[in-house]
Amino acid sequence: MKEETPIIEIKNLSKWYGDFQVLDDITTTINRGECVVICGPSGSGKSTLLRCINGLEDFQKGDVIVDGVSIKEISHTKEIYKLRSRIGMVFQHFELYPHMTALENVTLAPKKVFKIPEKEAEKRGMELLEKVGLREHAHKKPGELSGGQQQRVGIARALAMNADIIMFDEPTSALDPEMIRDVLEVMVDLAKGGMTMLVVTHEMGFAKAVADKIIFMDEGRIIEQEDVETFFKNPKSDRAKEFIDRILVHI
Amino acid sequence: MAYQFDWSIIWSEPYFRWLIIGLIKTIEIGLLSWIIALPLGIGIGTLRSLPNKACRAIGAIYVEFFRNIPLLVQLFFWYYAIPPLLGTRISRLPNLEWYCAIFGLGIYTASRVAEHVRSGFNSVPIGQRFAALSTGLSQFQMFRYVIIPYGFRIMIPPLTTEFLTIFKNSALAMTIGILELSGISWRINEYTFHGFEATTAAIGGYLIIGLTIIFLMGQLEKRLRVPGLMRRE
Ligand SMILES: Nc1ncnc2c1ncn2[C@@H]1O[C@H](COP(=O)(O)OP(=O)(O)O)[C@@H](O)[C@H]1O
Ligand SMILES: [Mg+2]
């Protein structure tokens, strides 16, 4: 069903913080329209990997190619700004701008980066807030919204630049259980709508429902990358087995 | 012999007029030196927050230099040590002490303002930078629309304290011969031996200034209040 056009190619990516190696020879490909879930223990380098993909962090070895563009080559040029606008990002702690309303959070980048006129940006912003079920909260500040609502604003903000790819970094880990569903619903809709998604999460229900591929990381390395069924039924490594047992018990 | 209180001193001429003039001078020194301290401090504090190492070093040297020398010594330095080196045109300038006090207090306070500015920017979570940059904003736009407005709100309470302090520190100007509020109360004591009443009047003056500032800054803070950011109920 899905055409296999690579949109993100990670090639032998390694990164160190001083002497400490956070990412160790990461190689993988994400195709257009795929939803790829990344899981693994805390500290295994998942967030760092996402930040390397849109050039928020430097890396020492290897490269990331996004739609044919080498991040290594453009990471210290103005080109990186344009590239980042094509990759939306959603954060564990939402990271909404607290001094702006929900609508302003969503429209800031379209207005400043694409110079879209205020009225038009707001119209589009309202549509996006509608899409995540928050039209009536558009003029509230993040501090007046619940965690789940904030995260949905975060998703609307990531969508506002008409990105080709959206990366989620543990989008539901900071949420109360009853709010997780609202956020996951929005994400499932996106995945079904054909958005390319890279999702760091331990929500295995989400993975089973929509993921095309699951990547298991530990200590900066990719230990397994499989389709979801194979990963859960026959994990190859002991570490993945342990990990699956632990999170499945937790669920 | 018991001390004879005579509160009428405060209201009688010329002492009442002196006190008013002193109060106005205190307000002037405080405001004018704040006009130096705030922009300079914001500039230095911003230098200290930039990625460029040279900028950070310049900022650090400024702050450590001015913050670690007693203000009194700095005022003496600007008033007694520097002008003679600059020739008679400067050293015989009328009101030289006035300029020295405002300049000295301003650039000293700038070093303290700079520290609050830096720590304000530092307390903006790193995730805010990631969020802003991830949407395609440039480094400059990120500062302009996210880091500065967010950090500025964090800075308001410590900067209010600094603004209050500049009026209190302005009392040191009497040591280089300015008859501001403290200097005046000291002089009234010399003329009348009613130091208790004179200093009480000065205390009243400082309280009026201080409470006014607290009220005004409270209003500003209320206007800029961000839910969940500044918890000062
Ligand atoms: N700025 C940094 N400096 C030094 N070490 C860091 C930094 N950021 C993350 N690390 C370390 O890198 C490792 C991977 O972090 P991270 O990518 O956040 O892992 P994960 O998201 O999988 O929990 C952790 O051990 C973490 O302590
Ligand atoms: Mg993480």
Side-chain angles (χ1 to χ4, degrees):
Chain A
M1 183 180 81
K2 267 156 191 157
E3 22 157 2
E4 305 247 314
T5 358
I7 188 158
I8 301 175
E9 293 165 88
I10 305 174
K11 296 180 172 170
N12 305 103
L13 179 69
S14 292
K15 174 178 171 63
W16 286 261
Y17 284 119
D19 290 338
F20 174 69
Q21 185 162 12
V22 220
L23 297 177
D24 185 356
D25 201 28
I26 302 278
T27 300
T28 191
T29 301
I30 291 133
N31 292 314
R32 205 176 275 280
E34 269 184 350
C35 175
V36 174
V37 161
I38 304 177
C39 60
S42 161
S44 55
K46 307 179 296 292
S47 301
T48 309
L49 177 62
L50 293 194
R51 290 199 297 266
C52 286
I53 292 172
N54 65 355
L56 289 174
E57 302 255 15
D58 284 331
F59 43 84
Q60 286 80 19
K61 268 198 186 160
D63 202 354
V64 179
I65 314 287
V66 178
D67 207 10
V69 180
S70 152
I71 297 290
K72 190 166 82 183
E73 272 168 31
I74 65 163
S75 66
H76 291 278
T77 71
K78 290 214 161 88
E79 289 296 296
I80 193 74
Y81 298 140
K82 208 189 310 161
L83 190 123
R84 283 186 191 134
S85 71
R86 299 180 48 200
I87 309 177
M89 198 161 179
V90 175
F91 302 85
Q92 180 174 3
H93 298 289
F94 328 134
E95 304 302 348
L96 297 181
Y97 315 129
H99 54 288
M100 297 182 196
T101 64
L103 183 61
E104 287 165 341
N105 266 275
V106 175
T107 56
L108 178 71
K111 283 191 295 199
K112 302 305 171 190
V113 179
F114 291 155
K115 318 280 184 220
I116 292 176
E118 177 102 23
K119 279 265 146 41
E120 210 182 308
E122 283 186 358
K123 185 165 163 280
R124 168 98 176 107
M126 288 306 285
E127 283 166 17
L128 286 168
L129 288 174
E130 172 109 61
K131 183 170 176 170
V132 297
L134 292 173
R135 177 170 252 284
E136 64 277 28
H137 298 289
H139 298 288
K140 288 190 184 160
K141 301 236 168 98
E144 298 162 314
L145 299 173
S146 73
Q149 292 170 334
Q150 288 187 59
Q151 192 57 299
R152 284 181 281 150
V153 175
I155 294 173
R157 178 175 67 181
L159 291 171
M161 298 296 278
N162 297 320
D164 303 314
I165 305 159
I166 309 244
M167 304 197 290
F168 296 79
D169 192 356
E170 306 207 30
T172 55
S173 320
L175 297 178
D176 295 333
E178 67 269 24
M179 292 175 178
I180 292 179
R181 216 194 46 214
D182 295 344
V183 171
L184 287 180
E185 258 169 30
V186 172
M187 291 169 59
V188 167
D189 280 351
L190 274 176
K192 289 188 171 157
M195 175 65 79
T196 309
M197 291 165 61
L198 197 50
V199 186
V200 174
T201 187
H202 293 161
E203 291 292 336
M204 290 304 133
F206 173 81
K208 283 177 177 161
V210 292
D212 297 288
K213 180 164 90 173
I214 192 155
I215 293 177
F216 174 68
M217 286 180 68
D218 193 18
E219 297 181 344
R221 273 189 297 270
I222 292 185
I223 306 290
E224 311 212 7
Q225 35 186 335
E226 309 276 5
D227 60 274
V228 182
E229 271 217 6
T230 319
F231 179 73
F232 283 109
K233 290 227 177 90
N234 314 302
K236 287 192 218 109
S237 63
D238 291 342
R239 269 186 283 188
K241 259 181 221 134
E242 265 173 49
F243 181 79
I244 292 167
D245 286 345
R246 220 165 342 123
I247 52 174
L248 288 187
V249 166
H250 183 72
I251 291 167
Chain B
M1 193 180 75
Y3 184 81
Q4 295 289 315
F5 284 97
D6 180 3
W7 292 100
S8 68
I9 294 274
I10 297 177
W11 309 109
S12 59
E13 288 306 329
Y15 309 122
F16 181 67
R17 194 158 44 87
W18 287 6
L19 283 166
I20 294 298
I21 292 170
L23 179 67
I24 290 169
K25 280 203 171 149
T26 290
I27 294 171
E28 281 175 347
I29 296 173
L31 286 179
L32 291 172
S33 47
W34 187 246
I35 288 172
I36 297 175
L38 188 61
L40 186 60
I42 290 175
I44 306 276
T46 307
L47 274 188
R48 295 201 75 181
S49 316
L50 293 178
N52 184 301
K53 273 202 176 120
C55 292
R56 287 211 304 265
I58 294 169
I61 290 167
Y62 183 98
V63 167
E64 295 313 333
F65 190 83
F66 288 105
R67 194 170 60 153
N68 288 308
I69 299 168
L71 176 56
L72 188 60
V73 175
Q74 294 189 36
L75 290 181
F76 284 0
F77 182 76
W78 298 120
Y79 183 60
Y80 295 116
I82 291 296
L85 302 181
L86 300 176
T88 51
R89 230 166 57 92
I90 298 287
S91 64
R92 297 225 184 112
L93 208 64
N95 300 328
L96 180 64
E97 70 283 1
W98 178 250
Y99 302 119
C100 289
I102 289 167
F103 177 75
L105 190 54
I107 63 171
Y108 163 78
T109 308
S111 70
R112 301 177 49 98
V113 168
E115 276 306 273
H116 298 308
V117 169
R118 181 177 73 119
S119 85
F121 286 146
N122 276 352
S123 8
V124 178
I126 182 98
Q128 291 278 303
R129 290 168 190 254
F130 291 150
L133 293 175
S134 76
T135 59
L137 293 180
S138 68
Q139 197 88 13
F140 175 80
Q141 289 173 322
M142 167 192 84
F143 260 96
R144 164 77 182 75
Y145 298 109
V146 179
I147 310 295
I148 290 176
Y150 188 134
F152 183 64
R153 285 169 168 85
I154 300 176
M155 288 168 210
I156 292 177
L159 288 183
T160 301
T161 309
E162 219 46 64
F163 192 33
L164 285 169
T165 308
I166 211 168
F167 289 97
K168 291 183 274 180
N169 281 343
S170 73
L172 286 176
M174 73 180 272
T175 61
I176 57 172
I178 296 177
L179 289 172
E180 39 62 73
L181 196 50
S182 312
I184 287 292
S185 72
W186 176 73
R187 169 164 287 194
I188 294 175
N189 176 51
E190 287 213 313
Y191 277 59
T192 63
F193 302 105
H194 280 282
F196 192 92
E197 294 85 335
T199 39
T200 304
I203 288 168
Y206 284 113
L207 280 177
I208 290 169
I209 296 173
L211 295 174
T212 308
I213 292 172
I214 288 171
F215 173 76
L216 291 177
M217 295 304 281
Q219 294 299 106
L220 178 68
E221 207 172 312
K222 218 186 271 171
R223 278 176 127 209
L224 295 176
R225 166 158 283 144
V226 168
L229 188 62
M230 283 183 303
R231 276 178 232 281
R232 280 173 103 217
E233 305 306 273

